[in-house]
Amino acid sequence: QVELVESGGGLVQAGGSLKLSCATSGRAFPRRFMGWFRQAPGKEREFVAGVFWADGTAAYADFVEGRFTIFQDKAQNMVALQMHALKPEDTAIYYCAASNRVVSMWLRTSYDYWGQGTQVTVSS
């Protein structure tokens, strides 16, 4: 019954901005952290950003380089990813995920729930 639904993907030019949102549908569930991953064609799904639900502490992959911000809305059980200065290399399907386990948020195997993804395409 738990479902995560991403939205906000689309086509943007290099240097542009995009905001991704992840909404929770169905039963309420506890979570320790939520994160965003991305997967480009022919590549592994990789960690982009994550946030601990309790205190809002965030972590980012090195390639983010200060361009993205992850933030949470506890009241609405939502998480968002604000992206700026997008590069063609950012083109990928972006996935929202959640976990309630005491494990590393950087690992895709740490997550219990996944959305279907939203496509982000950055043109040069």
Side-chain angles (χ1 to χ4, degrees):
Q1 189 174 347
V2 173
E3 186 176 55
L4 304 179
V5 181
E6 302 94 338
S7 62
L11 174 64
V12 297
Q13 294 183 353
S17 299
L18 203 60
K19 181 183 177 181
L20 307 182
S21 296
C22 176
T24 300
S25 179
R27 63 182 289 187
F29 64 96
R31 67 200 77 184
R32 184 167 183 267
F33 54 84
M34 295 188 70
W36 288 93
F37 283 72
R38 71 184 189 184
Q39 187 166 21
K43 296 185 178 180
E44 297 293 318
R45 190 171 300 189
E46 63 181 347
F47 176 80
V48 177
V51 60
F52 284 96
W53 208 246
D55 61 10
T57 300
Y60 301 92
D62 288 342
F63 63 74
V64 168
E65 299 175 318
R67 300 175 298 131
F68 302 169
T69 301
I70 185 172
F71 55 96
Q72 61 185 316
D73 184 339
K74 288 186 175 181
Q76 299 297 319
N77 290 313
M78 297 177 62
V79 64
L81 184 69
Q82 178 65 62
M83 304 185 291
H84 297 290
L86 285 163
K87 306 175 181 179
E89 306 92 89
D90 294 318
T91 296
I93 299 175
Y94 284 70
Y95 298 89
C96 174
S99 177
N100 196 43
R101 289 181 283 158
V102 185
V103 290
S104 173
M105 68 163 57
W106 284 266
L107 304 178
R108 62 183 179 182
T109 54
S110 297
Y111 293 82
D112 304 302
Y113 306 107
W114 291 86
Q116 293 299 306
T118 185
Q119 177 71 49
V120 171
T121 302
V122 185
S123 65
S124 59

